[in-house]
C-alpha cells in the first residue's frame, strides 16, 4: 500500500534556527515524486519543493531543502533560518504512478520570536 | 496569470440537499484533481481528470459524489443528498502537461458545511 507518514503533529522552532520536518513513505513503484506543501491559516496550499525518485541530488529551493534518503524511504524537509511567517501546517505528499497525490497528516510548525 | 479558482468559497447547506462545487483550472493545464480536507486532517484524493482520458474516480467515497469536466477545462463536483460527514474543505488542483506537470497548483478551496 502507498502511504505517507508524518510522525510530528507539532513542532516548535526558535526564529532564525533551522528545523527538520520528518516524512517517510511507502511505495512499490520505482518512479514517484515527493512534494512538500505549506498550508498557512488562510488555507491555501503552497508548493515548496519537489524531489523525483530518480534525482540523485537533494532538491533545494531557497531556504528549503529536501533530505532524500531513498533506501530509508524518507524525504525530510529542512527549513533554514526560520522566520515567523513559516508558522503553518506542512504536508508531505507522494505523487503516484496514476498522478494523484497521497498526503501525510501534516506537521504544525510554530516559529517562536 | 490567474491561478486556480473555485466557487463558491463557502457553502452552507441542509442535510439531504444537493450541492455543486466549481473549479476553474489554470489555462492550458490538462490535469485536474479534486481533494477533500476534513477538519485538522490531511488531504484525501477524490477524483482526477487527465485530458480526454477516463477519469480516475477511485477516491470518491460514495455514489453520492460525482464530477465532470467540460471541454477539458472547468470541472464541477456534485454531492447529492449531503450528509454531515461531507462537511470539509474541497480543494481543486491542476497541473500542466508533460514532465513539467509534476507540481499541482491548488485553488483556495470551497468550505462546505452541512447542517
Amino acid at each position: 500500500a502507498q502511504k505517507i507518514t508524518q510522525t510530528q503533529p507539532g513542532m516548535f522552532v526558535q526564529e532564525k534556527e533551522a528545523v527538520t520536518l520528518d516524512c517517510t513513505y511507502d511505495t512499490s513503484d520505482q518512479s514517484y515524486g515527493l512534494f512538500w506543501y505549506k498550508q498557512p491559516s488562510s488555507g491555501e496550499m503552497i508548493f515548496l519543493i519537489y524531489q523525483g525518485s530518480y534525482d540523485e541530488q537533494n532538491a533545494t529551493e531557497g531556504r528549503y531543502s529536501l533530505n532524500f534518503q531513498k533506501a530509508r524511504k524518507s524525504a525530510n524537509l529542512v527549513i533554514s533560518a526560520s522566520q515567523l511567517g513559516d508558522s503553518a501546517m506542512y504536508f508531505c505528499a507522494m505523487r503516484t504512478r496514476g498522478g494523484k497525490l497521497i498526503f501525510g497528516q501534516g506537521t504544525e510548525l510554530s516559529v517562536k520570536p | 496569470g490567474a491561478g486556480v479558482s473555485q466557487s463558491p468559497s463557502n457553502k452552507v447547506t441542509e442535510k439531504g440537499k444537493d450541492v455543486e462545487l466549481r473549479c476553474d483550472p489554470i489555462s492550458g493545464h490538462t490535469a485536474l484533481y479534486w481533494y477533500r480536507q476534513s477538519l485538522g486532517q490531511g488531504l484525501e484524493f477524490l477524483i482526477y481528470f487527465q485530458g480526454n482520458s477516463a477519469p480516475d474516480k477511485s477516491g470518491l467515497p460514495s455514489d453520492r459524489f460525482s464530477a465532470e469536466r467540460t471541454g477539458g477545462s472547468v470541472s464541477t463536483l456534485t454531492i447529492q443528498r449531503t450528509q454531515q460527514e461531507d462537511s470539509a474543505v474541497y480543494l481543486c488542483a491542476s497541473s500542466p502537461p508533460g514532465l513539467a506537470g509534476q507540481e499541482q497548483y491548488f485553488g483556495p478551496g470551497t468550505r462546505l458545511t452541512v447542517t
Side-chain angles (χ1 to χ4, degrees):
Chain A
Q2 295 174 315
K3 188 178 180 181
I4 292 283
T5 303
Q6 294 181 253
T7 57
Q8 306 153 313
M11 290 278 287
F12 289 92
V13 64
Q14 204 69 35
E15 192 178 8
K16 299 180 185 178
E17 291 186 351
V19 63
T20 298
L21 306 184
D22 294 341
C23 172
T24 57
Y25 61 93
D26 191 14
T27 182
S28 57
D29 291 343
Q30 296 301 309
S31 178
Y32 51 88
L34 296 159
F35 298 79
W36 279 91
Y37 281 86
K38 172 184 178 180
Q39 188 177 45
S41 56
S42 58
E44 61 189 307
M45 292 289 286
I46 302 169
F47 166 77
L48 295 178
I49 196 166
Y50 165 78
Q51 179 87 40
S53 58
Y54 293 117
D55 294 342
E56 295 185 352
Q57 300 290 328
N58 285 343
T60 60
E61 289 285 349
R63 294 186 299 110
Y64 305 106
S65 60
L66 198 151
N67 184 0
F68 182 46
Q69 298 188 41
K70 194 170 182 177
R72 300 177 67 177
K73 292 189 175 180
S74 75
N76 299 339
L77 177 70
V78 180
I79 306 175
S80 63
S82 297
Q83 303 173 355
L84 296 178
D86 294 335
S87 293
M89 282 290 288
Y90 288 81
F91 291 99
C92 180
M94 177 170 61
R95 184 179 188 267
T96 66
R97 201 178 340 150
K100 66 188 181 189
L101 292 178
I102 297 173
F103 287 83
Q105 291 300 300
T107 295
E108 184 169 9
L109 178 66
S110 298
V111 180
K112 294 183 174 182
Chain B
V4 177
S5 61
Q6 293 185 246
S7 61
S9 54
N10 281 283
K11 177 71 175 179
V12 180
T13 190
E14 293 180 353
K15 178 182 172 180
K17 295 285 180 66
D18 296 353
V19 294
E20 287 189 349
L21 312 180
R22 176 187 168 106
C23 172
D24 279 275
I26 294 172
S27 177
H29 281 196
T30 54
L32 187 149
Y33 310 79
W34 283 98
Y35 296 90
R36 177 171 71 174
Q37 186 175 27
S38 301
L39 185 63
Q41 299 296 310
L43 277 74
E44 171 191 16
F45 166 77
L46 296 177
I47 189 169
Y48 161 43
F49 296 89
Q50 174 60 277
N52 295 321
S53 302
D56 176 356
K57 303 179 181 180
S58 61
L60 295 179
S62 78
D63 59 7
R64 296 186 296 104
F65 288 72
S66 63
E68 63 177 18
R69 188 178 184 191
T70 54
S73 181
V74 172
S75 177
T76 301
L77 177 69
T78 301
I79 309 173
Q80 295 178 312
R81 304 181 303 282
T82 52
Q83 304 294 313
Q84 287 186 332
E85 60 262 28
D86 298 335
S87 295
V89 176
Y90 290 81
L91 288 157
C92 175
S94 69
S95 63
L99 288 177
Q102 299 291 353
E103 177 185 345
Q104 294 183 17
Y105 297 78
F106 282 81
T110 293
R111 182 175 298 278
L112 176 65
T113 304
V114 182
T115 61

